[in-house]
């Protein structure tokens, strides 16, 4: 069954995705993340550690004349991404099952990169970006730990990235309890974005 | 001078807007707000209490075959909105200077409504929406006070709105201090969205 | 078995309390709440809606020459409070099982009042405080809903309370995941405190 | 003029301190910080980077039979601490002007340590703590940058500290605007606490 999402903004509600037990980036974090990425309609985008694919799906809607590569090592998650691609009727998302960056075609050049989960391979991923992210291309990463937040900032500085932006976002959502609105806190997320320096 | 923003996502950085002393909705709040509004490319949108017009501008980019009415009572702010309209090269935003809702054309029907500032006229604005917001049309409001958050929720329930969503968003942005990243907190914002009930 | 807590500050860790399924005020919220209450060592304190009694226990340690009345309607919770009183070796906490304020002795005069849960009886509780909270006595309330936060502020203003302070506190706690520290968000809490006006 | 603070809990309101342009730890952060430190009335406490001395003052009230050493390199801040010591009528706080840890008496042994500002000397301070913080003694640090948060966690693990607790606290305070309560966000603070391992 197709979703009825046909809007020209980011912002697909979480419950419109086909979900499993895989944790999913929440709507508010998703729109801020993709807003920081600045997708152009013709962009080639890579989503490393795509998880449920919710970022890939919205990126695919934004890059409607481009293509999104969703890289994910877990079989269950890849299967879920494929279901969501079908659910949203998209034909510009390619799933790649495997360990990033080794599983990615060595000829691919991307305009934008999403780092959802690094699987502990930050060095390898940035070495790959050295060769495959176009100059002035942008990256965005979501981190939930202090250590990965720190390591990503250090790596971006070391690699000469520009326009480094660190935003922490804390969301609470109202839940109806009879006639009351109880605020339920989410985990705070760091959204780290940057543009590749011209010389790299 | 024209801006060089030509992306297919929400997310214009704050510093790309022409700004004055008027307080401006921050980028992260703007993308979440418009994400909750679910703009369609052909929508007619009204932005009541448009302030600097940053929400109107991004709404205008999303409703590229529609039109956005930016209503604002302060002369200085209207002038700023006009500058930003020109800066972003938009031809689908109409500014209305005056006190909402009285200043608005009585024949206008809208698909989406943004309530940025109510100027204490919540009752009048909702009475206007009774007549001028299409069934299933969506509204989104940003509130910074407990009282307006409460009153809006009550009003939405009283008027039979559906899909009421209350989200609080707390943002902290990194500021570089030599080689350190100090997190600077913003004021928490409530983003309240809902869809007009079918019968109203 | 007695606890080994013998410190002169607030701040008992959550895991030192005997707990059940009853939700418990978290340590950080507890210390800020009692800090706003400004307990004197000889104070008479009432804790209305005492729940697990964690606020009563710390209040009892602070009011070491005074007395704390812990009012709670649920049998299971009263039993838990009693276990914690014994666990922390306190002899100055009196439990009152029943619906506040009717269950409270009509001769009691208090210096400080904690409103943990109002059970929808805000009017009755404030009428009781009119008669039983000493002038300049302080109250503190924890709220988790927008509606109760609003209603309490209105009530405090209506009753002429002074020094009204509204603080929202959002806590995230680090959780170790191998060598990483993942931040886990808690629900945001409003801490509302005030002093009774002299004339009331 | 003496302050009229004579309560048995933490929680001195910010405005009761004599203040200058030196940034001051906010009340809510102060009570959580000292709550995590678990001060005993007979403790010897060191406050490294004492700033305005607000943490030292509350620590001094809690350690009423002990002593607090407030170490601060800036003359202006030391002078402010002395004024606050007099204002609160405390006789158990010793100020040490100079660069920590070199300026501290080499015979001092402490039960508790507060690290308010490290001045980039984390290594030296922890080497000092190796020798001068008693086994099972506790430390607490407030950090506002991602880098110092990360480095402190690494240092605590490297030095074998136990019971490492990382808490992020985000506070918003209500500000009255006519009859509205606008929430004003503070900068988020990390509060890092731990106990010295027995063998160190």
């Amino acid at each position: 069954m197709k979703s009825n999402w046909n809007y020209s903004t980011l912002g697909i509600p979480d419950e419109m995705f086909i979900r499993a037990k895989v944790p999913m980036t929440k709507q508010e974090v998703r729109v801020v993340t993709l807003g920081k990425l600045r997708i152009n309609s013709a962009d080639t985008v890579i989503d490393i550690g795509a998880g449920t694919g919710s970022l890939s799906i919205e990126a695919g809607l934004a890059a409607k004349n481009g293509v999104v590569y969703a890289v994910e090592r877990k079989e269950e998650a890849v299967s879920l991404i494929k279901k969501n691609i079908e659910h949203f009727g998209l034909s510009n998302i390619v799933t790649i099952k495997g360990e990033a960056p080794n599983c990615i075609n060595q000829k691919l050049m991307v305009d934008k990169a999403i780092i959802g989960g690094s699987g502990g391979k930050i060095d390898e991923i940035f070495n790959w970006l050295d060769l495959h992210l176009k100059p002035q291309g942008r990256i965005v990463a979501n981190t939930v730990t202090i250590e990965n937040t720190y390591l990503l900032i250090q790596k971006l500085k070391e690699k000469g990235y520009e326009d480094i932006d660190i935003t922490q976002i804390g969301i609470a959502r109202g839940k109806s309890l009879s006639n009351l609105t109880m605020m339920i806190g989410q985990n705070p997320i760091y959204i780290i974005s940057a543009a590749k320096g011209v010389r790299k």
Side-chain angles (χ1 to χ4, degrees), chain A:
Chain A
M1 202 200 70
K2 289 287 185 295
S3 90
N4 58 359
W5 181 262
N6 64 338
Y7 299 101
S8 56
T9 45
L10 301 167
I12 304 173
D14 294 345
E15 62 272 18
M16 282 198 190
F17 288 95
I18 299 169
R19 299 171 73 173
K21 286 172 190 168
V22 183
M24 191 172 83
T25 305
K26 297 288 189 297
Q27 181 205 40
E28 297 86 359
V29 174
R30 201 159 51 237
V31 299
V32 176
T33 298
L34 293 173
K36 300 275 185 187
L37 194 58
R38 301 182 199 167
I39 295 175
N40 192 298
S41 57
D43 274 350
T44 299
V45 180
I46 194 157
D47 182 3
I48 298 175
T52 62
S54 66
L55 282 163
S56 291
I57 294 290
E58 291 223 56
L61 288 165
K64 59 176 174 290
N65 306 316
V67 60
V68 176
Y69 294 88
V71 185
E72 172 57 45
R73 58 184 168 180
K74 288 185 191 155
E75 181 60 45
E76 183 194 357
V78 172
S79 159
L80 195 60
I81 299 170
K82 287 180 178 170
K83 282 179 192 164
N84 274 308
I85 292 170
E86 195 188 337
H87 181 57
F88 287 95
L90 289 167
S91 56
N92 62 340
I93 303 184
V94 179
T95 57
I96 302 176
K97 188 190 169 308
E99 194 84 31
N102 289 339
C103 63
I104 308 169
N105 184 315
Q106 287 302 315
K107 290 192 179 159
L108 185 64
M109 291 299 294
V110 301
D111 300 286
K112 306 287 158 60
I114 302 164
I115 304 177
S118 62
K121 303 221 173 219
I122 289 180
D123 284 353
E124 290 86 339
I125 288 169
F126 273 86
N127 290 340
W128 186 87
L129 292 171
D130 281 348
L131 299 172
H132 299 276
L133 177 62
K134 296 179 191 170
Q136 300 294 349
R138 290 182 67 82
I139 79 160
V140 67
N142 289 348
T143 55
V144 295
T145 69
I146 291 165
E147 290 80 4
N148 282 339
T149 306
Y150 172 83
L151 293 171
L152 264 166
I153 295 172
Q154 297 311 108
K155 185 56 84 175
L156 288 169
K157 288 181 177 174
E158 174 198 324
K159 291 284 189 179
Y161 278 75
E162 299 168 356
D163 193 25
I164 300 174
D165 176 286
I166 318 295
T167 298
Q168 190 187 33
I169 177 168
I171 294 289
R173 281 188 184 167
K175 182 182 171 181
S176 281
L177 290 177
S178 66
N179 59 343
L180 300 174
T181 308
M182 184 179 173
M183 299 310 293
I184 306 292
Q186 310 285 335
N187 296 341
I189 310 281
Y190 283 97
I191 298 172
I192 301 170
S193 60
K196 196 179 187 180
V198 177
R199 295 182 190 178
K200 274 285 173 183

